[in-house]
Amino acid sequence: MIEARIKELRRLIQVHNYRYYILDDPELSDAAYDHLMRELQLLEAQYPELITENSPTQRVGTAALSAFASVQHEMPMLSLSNAFSEAELQAFDQRLHDRLKLDEASEIEYIAEPKLDGLAVSLLYRQGQLAQAATRGDGTTGENVTQNIRTIAAIPLLLLGKDYPDVLEVRGEVIMPTAGFDAFNAQARAADQRTFVNPRNAAAGSLRQLDARVTAKRPLDMYCYAVGKVEGDAIAVTQSETLSKLRAWGLPINPKTKVVQGLHACLDYYQSISQQREKLPYDIDGIVYKVNHLAAQQQLGSVSRAPRWAIAHKFPAQEEMSRILSVDFQVGRTGAITPVARLEPTFVGGVTVSNATLHNMDEVERKDIHIGDTVIIRRAGDVIPEVVRVIIADRLANAEKVNIPATCPICDAEILRQEGEAIARCSGGLNCSAQVKQAIKHFASRKAMDIIGLGDKLVELLFDHDLVSNIADLYQLKAADIAALPRMGEKSSTNLLNAIEVSKKTQLHRFIYALGIREVGEATAKALAKRFTDLNDLIETTPEILQEIDDIGPIVAQRVYQFFQQASSQESIRELIAQGIHWSVIEANAIQKDEELPLANHRYVLTGKLSQFTRAEAKSQLEKLGAKVSASLSKKTTALIAGEKAGSKLKKAQALNLTVLDEAALYTLLH
Ligand code: IVH
């Protein structure tokens, strides 16, 4: 009776673990789950003779080891060769075609998955029970980390189902998700303890603890990506089927894993994951492609320590070493003073970086940044490059401390820092040319009025030649004045004036965002436009009414209220509207969701020369209608838009049997 209940509880806990960790679809509340666990713990405490090694209560051992035993991997744990460019990946695909004697036209089926930045481990299940876990080590000999692995909740101690092989070795990557990493470091910092440099070191450091009770407190997770030794029936004929089986037995498989056909689909997958990279809950450093059919894998075999049938397509490194040459202070749109490090030019994240933000003086102090320091810099995705940390051991004797100036480097007004605020600000307001320039840049930017072609450099040029001194001046620009500017001509002058003209027809939320009200980003602007379909109502509102809007708190409400109270703001709005800026009230009423836009789920590729648009304009207009515009063709491409002198892309589109549109068709599409 008691024994039956204990077994039932273990089974229930196992099933709910599976739903929670593997299917990501929990059925029980945390409290109800804890309740089951508690009941099991109580029963086991009463009847210790009924405790089994793989009961879910037995994940954490009680004694620390003096050393890890070594484990011989019967099948070596291989590593991967790398590709750092599309060309290298293409060469890989070509090599496989040659070796498999496939003709050009046939596409190899690959399985693509993120390359996780953690450490590789091997899990050995005997009769469905976790019997041993080992690190990769040098590929042949690893360390026995069974006790530590057992503390990772995502890893099943018992496999589900019945059809698993008698002996099953599963391989995968143990990771520390970024949220857990940040929380761990924040806690360590608060307690003045050692922090980890990155999630990979944190995962490795946490797993290789002699005391599993320490590991148990670390937020580790795991994804499995392969099998090693298997005794019993063959599992599957493809890699993807193998992974499905593993998942059904309760092992964690990365949900982003995808079967793709051919090189181009690999590249699309790479693009798509690159774009999601910053939002993924864990660090990745590339994509792994593997030939999906196991028979083809066999045929291809391995060279030295890497299989021929797989490759890691690496993202450009996001962290590199550099040196701080000097520190300047930049003035932002709201007067915020940002210290910026001038760096020895360094190739990182796919581009050469020579500046990195230092955020504010608190950060400079916290990271103990000196001029002359050797530093690790990071450029992740489109995020502004930053200094991660100083290599203190390399500090030179003449390294200089960073001091904030007393007055604005642009307008000489006093720099003030309010009590409790990290940010110091120039007190010059609109007398500070830096603040005005930034306001104009913001006004013209893509999510604001979207004046195509009016970027930072051109704003500087217009301002420095006294053609604009505020946003409303943009709408009074004369063609001849623009054309007379250095490096401008009639054509670029006409383009700019056209873009300014086009920007007059806008949407209320863009206009509100464009005004550059402090604390009002795109989302707040949308919320305001939804609540106040008439701009005059917004101008005349009160902080109380503003606070009734979801997500608007007292600070934002006060900022918005103060902004519209100022005579200068009202004057500027009147002037802009007098210049012809307008929006339709219906549009303001129904801010469309992306998926409702007319070209949602359409993908285009642009090639060749267009006569009525620049490529950037065509791209921007397509995107406004919800379309995706990508650089390379794939089977998912809706159509190739080919201007004059289209070359290889056009040929490829024809080969792929894709729709090809000319400029006239594009024009129709957009109107
Ligand atoms: S497959 C036979 N798949 O990358 C192929 N490895 O550079 C063995 N890694 O040692 C590896 N994510 O630690 C594979 N989705 C993934 C991976 C992955 C991370 C690691 C693994 C391996 C290293 C090779």
Side-chain angles (χ1 to χ4, degrees):
M1 175 62 202
I2 296 293
E3 194 169 0
R5 178 62 185 158
I6 285 180
K7 280 200 176 141
E8 172 66 6
L9 285 167
R10 285 178 190 155
R11 195 192 61 80
L12 283 172
I13 289 168
Q14 192 189 7
V15 167
H16 291 299
N17 267 347
Y18 176 70
R19 295 204 64 101
Y20 184 88
Y21 290 105
I22 312 301
L23 301 184
D24 199 11
D25 180 23
E27 232 174 27
L28 283 189
S29 67
D30 287 1
Y33 176 87
D34 290 344
H35 202 77
L36 293 178
M37 198 65 162
R38 191 82 205 115
E39 185 184 345
L40 179 60
Q41 280 165 343
L42 286 173
L43 286 176
E44 286 182 350
Q46 277 176 291
Y47 302 93
E49 67 279 11
L50 296 181
I51 297 178
T52 56
E53 196 199 1
N54 285 326
S55 166
T57 58
Q58 303 300 304
R59 284 190 177 262
V60 186
T62 48
L65 303 173
S66 54
F68 292 115
S70 45
V71 170
Q72 289 297 117
H73 298 298
E74 267 184 59
M75 278 171 67
M77 288 184 76
L78 299 176
S79 75
L80 292 166
S81 23
N82 293 321
F84 293 97
S85 64
E86 280 193 24
E88 285 177 30
L89 190 69
Q90 195 168 4
F92 164 78
D93 183 63
Q94 186 60 51
R95 276 197 304 278
L96 297 195
H97 271 87
D98 294 347
R99 283 198 168 260
L100 296 169
K101 302 204 169 44
L102 295 173
D103 64 51
E104 290 285 308
S106 56
E107 291 182 328
I108 297 175
E109 183 169 290
Y110 292 104
I111 179 160
E113 55 198 294
K115 184 169 191 299
L116 302 162
D117 217 358
L119 80 158
V121 299
S122 149
L123 312 176
L124 188 67
Y125 287 89
R126 291 186 197 281
Q127 262 72 47
Q129 304 213 18
L130 178 62
Q132 178 181 283
T135 60
R136 173 173 182 274
D138 62 5
T140 326
T141 313
E143 287 173 324
N144 186 328
V145 287
T146 314
Q147 293 310 318
N148 310 51
I149 283 291
R150 288 170 58 93
T151 69
I152 301 176
I155 300 177
L157 301 178
L158 300 169
L159 296 180
L160 289 172
K162 292 219 157 32
D163 62 337
Y164 43 74
D166 293 344
V167 174
L168 172 67
E169 186 195 354
V170 184
R171 290 166 176 186
E173 198 88 347
V174 169
I175 54 174
M176 186 180 284
T178 29
F181 167 75
D182 291 341
F184 177 85
N185 269 358
Q187 226 177 9
R189 216 174 279 127
D192 245 347
Q193 284 164 352
R194 216 172 66 98
T195 54
F196 283 112
V197 172
N198 56 43
R200 186 200 28 217
N201 290 4
S206 301
L207 191 65
R208 298 185 63 259
Q209 288 285 335
L210 290 168
D211 189 342
R213 286 166 295 188
V214 178
T215 310
K217 295 200 187 98
R218 304 284 171 82
L220 296 177
D221 201 347
M222 180 175 182
Y223 282 124
C224 301
Y225 47 64
V227 292
K229 193 174 117 136
V230 177
E231 274 173 24
D233 295 341
I235 298 179
V237 299
T238 59
Q239 176 73 12
S240 51
E241 228 185 293
T242 310
L243 296 182
S244 308
K245 285 270 174 76
L246 295 182
R247 187 167 189 263
W249 295 329
L251 290 153
I253 306 297
N254 192 326
K256 296 277 173 200
T257 304
K258 191 176 169 195
V259 175
V260 295
Q261 310 294 334
L263 174 69
H264 289 286
C266 288
L267 293 175
D268 281 349
Y269 181 86
Y270 179 91
Q271 288 301 339
S272 147
I273 300 289
S274 306
Q275 279 162 17
Q276 302 167 40
R277 184 179 182 190
E278 291 308 307
K279 292 198 200 87
L280 291 177
Y282 43 76
D283 268 11
I284 61 175
D285 61 353
I287 301 295
V288 183
Y289 313 105
K290 298 170 189 162
V291 171
N292 196 27
H293 284 269
L294 301 182
Q297 289 189 2
Q298 280 264 304
Q299 192 183 338
L300 289 161
S302 300
V303 257
S304 67
R305 300 178 55 204
R308 282 205 192 86
W309 42 265
I311 198 158
H313 188 185
K314 300 292 280 280
F315 295 137
Q318 291 183 313
E319 289 192 0
E320 284 296 345
M321 277 220 271
S322 183
R323 209 165 68 82
I324 298 188
L325 304 176
S326 62
V327 172
D328 287 346
F329 291 87
Q330 277 181 354
V331 188
R333 180 163 56 81
T334 59
I337 304 283
T338 307
V340 177
R342 306 294 175 204
L343 303 164
E344 221 157 60
T346 306
F347 192 73
V348 57
V351 297
T352 300
V353 164
S354 22
N355 306 305
T357 180
L358 299 174
H359 301 291
N360 56 56
M361 290 309 287
D362 282 358
E363 280 285 296
V364 170
E365 261 158 48
R366 192 172 70 72
K367 292 180 179 158
D368 189 21
I369 289 168
H370 283 50
I371 298 163
D373 275 350
T374 302
V375 290
I376 302 286
I377 58 167
R378 178 177 172 84
R379 179 185 180 272
D382 293 332
V383 182
I384 301 168
E386 58 173 3
V387 172
V388 182
R389 66 194 163 93
V390 172
I391 301 180
I392 298 279
D394 289 353
R395 175 164 292 164
L396 304 171
N398 61 355
E400 243 178 89
K401 207 171 144 37
V402 181
N403 292 312
I404 190 164
T407 58
C408 172
I410 307 295
C411 74
D412 239 10
E414 211 181 336
I415 289 180
L416 302 172
R417 184 168 167 178
Q418 279 188 336
E419 270 294 308
E421 265 199 27
I423 296 170
R425 288 177 202 277
C426 157
S427 57
L430 290 181
N431 293 322
C432 176
S433 62
Q435 292 186 47
V436 178
K437 283 184 195 171
Q438 295 297 338
I440 300 172
K441 288 177 194 171
H442 172 78
F443 182 82
S445 65
R446 200 167 63 85
K447 290 176 179 168
M449 301 302 283
D450 194 20
I451 305 180
I452 290 161
L454 184 52
D456 292 5
K457 291 232 170 67
L458 191 47
V459 170
E460 300 271 340
L461 198 62
L462 293 169
F463 187 93
D464 293 342
H465 286 78
D466 292 329
L467 296 186
V468 293
S469 58
N470 59 46
I471 46 185
D473 286 350
L474 289 172
Y475 294 90
Q476 308 239 22
L477 283 167
K478 306 270 175 313
D481 292 342
I482 307 171
L485 291 169
R487 289 180 308 279
M488 295 290 283
E490 227 166 90
K491 179 103 191 347
S492 28
S493 163
T494 318
N495 282 347
L496 178 62
L497 286 180
N498 282 342
I500 292 176
E501 192 56 36
V502 169
S503 78
K504 287 182 179 172
K505 177 175 180 322
T506 186
Q507 291 159 305
L508 178 57
H509 68 89
R510 283 177 171 271
F511 183 70
I512 296 172
Y513 173 69
L515 293 173
I517 308 165
R518 242 170 98 182
E519 311 283 348
V520 177
E522 213 192 354
T524 308
K526 281 189 177 164
L528 290 169
K530 210 166 169 182
R531 170 67 181 74
F532 301 95
T533 44
D534 185 335
L535 181 62
N536 288 320
D537 294 343
L538 172 59
I539 294 175
E540 285 162 15
T541 191
T542 63
E544 291 73 34
I545 296 179
L546 285 164
Q547 276 193 66
E548 286 168 10
I549 303 173
D550 276 353
D551 297 333
I552 294 194
I555 296 179
V556 180
Q558 201 55 38
R559 293 263 186 248
V560 174
Y561 174 72
Q562 278 169 357
F563 178 88
F564 287 112
Q565 284 291 299
Q566 279 169 22
S568 58
S569 310
Q570 294 193 13
E571 178 56 33
S572 158
I573 292 169
R574 240 193 313 278
E575 234 176 285
L576 289 166
I577 288 173
Q579 304 288 355
I581 289 183
H582 64 284
W583 51 85
S584 98
V585 176
I586 301 162
E587 251 175 277
N589 254 329
I591 294 169
Q592 275 175 310
K593 292 197 191 120
D594 290 351
E595 64 268 23
E596 290 167 1
L597 291 168
L599 297 183
N601 300 323
H602 286 221
R603 293 167 173 233
Y604 297 96
V605 175
L606 292 161
T607 190
K609 201 172 151 45
L610 301 171
S611 63
Q612 296 178 49
F613 310 85
T614 63
R615 285 245 203 115
E617 281 167 346
K619 180 167 189 282
S620 159
Q621 296 207 25
L622 285 165
E623 284 172 347
K624 271 193 198 157
L625 296 176
K628 284 216 164 53
V629 178
S630 51
S632 63
L633 292 164
S634 80
K635 281 193 177 156
K636 290 212 193 113
T637 307
T638 314
L640 174 73
I641 296 167
E644 269 174 57
K645 299 204 185 112
S648 62
K649 285 226 172 91
L650 180 57
K651 283 207 191 102
K652 207 178 121 193
Q654 286 158 345
L656 286 170
N657 233 336
L658 292 173
T659 311
V660 177
L661 302 178
D662 61 6
E663 185 166 352
L666 169 65
Y667 193 81
T668 321
L669 195 64
L670 294 173
H671 291 84

